[in-house]
Amino acid sequence: MADGVPGVAVAAALRAAAERLSPVSDTARLDAELLMAHALGVSRSDLLLRHMQRDAPPAFAALVERRAGHEPVAYILGRQEFHGLALQVTPDVLIPRDDSETTLAAALEGAGEDGRVLDCGVGSGALLLAFLAERPGWQGIGIDRAPAALAVAAANARALGLDGRARLAEADWHAPGWAGELGRFDRVVANPPYVESGADLAPDVGAFEPAGALYAGPDGLDDYRGLVPCLPGLLAPGGIAVLEIGATQEAAVAAIAADAGFSCTLRRDLGGRPRALILR
């Protein structure tokens, strides 16, 4: 085909790309297929069903080299799926992960037909927008201290038709009076930074995802110390807060919550790791 690399079929290019990516990815074949589909402008399923024998597009090789340099596939594609929602992602926001489904499920549990939800550290908008998509009668606010992240969340809200129910605001819970006129909420969700400064992260994460959304002081708890004491003033009667945590942080975050007057319930992710604390 005229638009491809003469003599190199998609099937052969995928095999070579998977071999090239195997040292840097546990999902080398999947990565290669997603990049090829992107280069062809088709879905992955369409690629596998209809395009395996066509010539590989010239743009594919450059995409593979980016991934070989540890750049996450989501940033190369500019999108990531979360809870069935197609979200725009850029290096200004963390890539939404399946583990955060645990946080979302805990927040949705017992949520009635209407109410207000606050997402602290909204990033791409994954938690806020997935919650609102599941609860059409709710209104939500997402805050973030990074204007670039708020721009990504706003674009996702518009694309999903949720911008009428999702308001976004710049705020930093380390700053005095940050809650301002936000009001009270039936649900507060947060996936705050919780990585210890200086932690040895995988290159895909440490070299590409935004440091301000990852690191939280020497023990990874600085943002819980800043946010949790503010939660009593943000929760409506009967409301709960759901905080995503690192796998080893259950006891430490629960102690911070207890000092603020909360009891905690743990939710584990599909891998059995501590993932979210429900604060009441």
Side-chain angles (χ1 to χ4, degrees):
M1 291 182 64
D3 64 341
V5 179
V8 181
V10 163
L14 285 173
R15 288 193 295 271
E19 183 176 352
R20 173 79 176 97
L21 297 178
S22 60
V24 303
S25 174
D26 293 332
T27 57
R29 175 70 187 200
L30 174 61
D31 292 359
E33 290 172 357
L34 291 170
L35 296 175
M36 180 67 80
H38 182 69
L40 289 171
V42 300
S43 68
R44 177 172 170 253
S45 59
D46 197 35
L47 163 72
L48 298 175
L49 287 171
R50 298 182 178 88
H51 298 282
M52 296 297 282
Q53 299 309 314
R54 67 180 289 182
D55 289 346
F60 178 61
L63 300 179
V64 172
E65 288 310 302
R66 288 173 65 182
R67 181 69 186 112
H70 294 281
E71 186 175 353
V73 171
Y75 288 155
I76 298 173
L77 303 182
R79 63 182 183 274
Q80 177 70 21
E81 184 173 297
F82 179 75
H83 199 68
L85 303 180
L87 299 173
Q88 172 190 332
V89 294
T90 76
D92 295 307
V93 299
L94 290 182
I95 298 167
R97 289 164 168 79
D98 290 342
D99 287 340
S100 293
E101 290 273 5
T102 303
T103 305
L104 175 64
L108 287 168
E109 189 175 296
E113 293 185 1
D114 54 68
R116 300 184 77 224
V117 58
L118 172 67
D119 185 349
C120 295
V122 70
S124 66
L127 287 174
L128 175 66
L129 298 177
F131 187 102
L132 294 177
E134 289 286 345
R135 294 292 185 272
W138 284 59
Q139 301 287 323
I141 297 177
I143 64 163
D144 206 290
R145 62 187 174 191
L150 291 170
V152 174
N156 283 323
R158 288 192 298 272
L160 295 168
L162 294 170
D163 49 322
R165 294 193 287 124
R167 181 164 72 86
L168 300 164
E170 185 175 346
D172 181 353
W173 54 75
H174 294 291
W178 67 274
E181 302 299 320
L182 292 177
R184 291 185 178 263
F185 299 85
D186 304 284
R187 292 291 185 274
V188 176
V189 296
N191 181 13
Y194 57 71
V195 178
E196 301 91 339
S197 55
D200 185 18
L201 297 178
D204 307 53
V205 179
F208 289 95
E209 300 202 54
L214 290 170
Y215 300 106
D219 59 2
L221 300 173
D222 283 1
D223 281 272
Y224 298 111
R225 294 189 184 101
L227 176 61
V228 171
C230 301
L231 294 178
L234 288 166
L235 286 171
I240 64 169
V242 183
L243 307 180
E244 190 154 328
I245 60 172
T248 63
Q249 294 176 325
E250 175 190 355
V253 178
I256 294 169
D259 286 343
F262 290 103
S263 62
C264 294
T265 305
L266 176 69
R267 290 287 186 272
R268 296 180 181 271
D269 61 25
L270 292 177
R273 298 175 296 267
R275 183 57 57 189
L277 282 177
I278 303 172
L279 278 57
R280 292 182 171 86

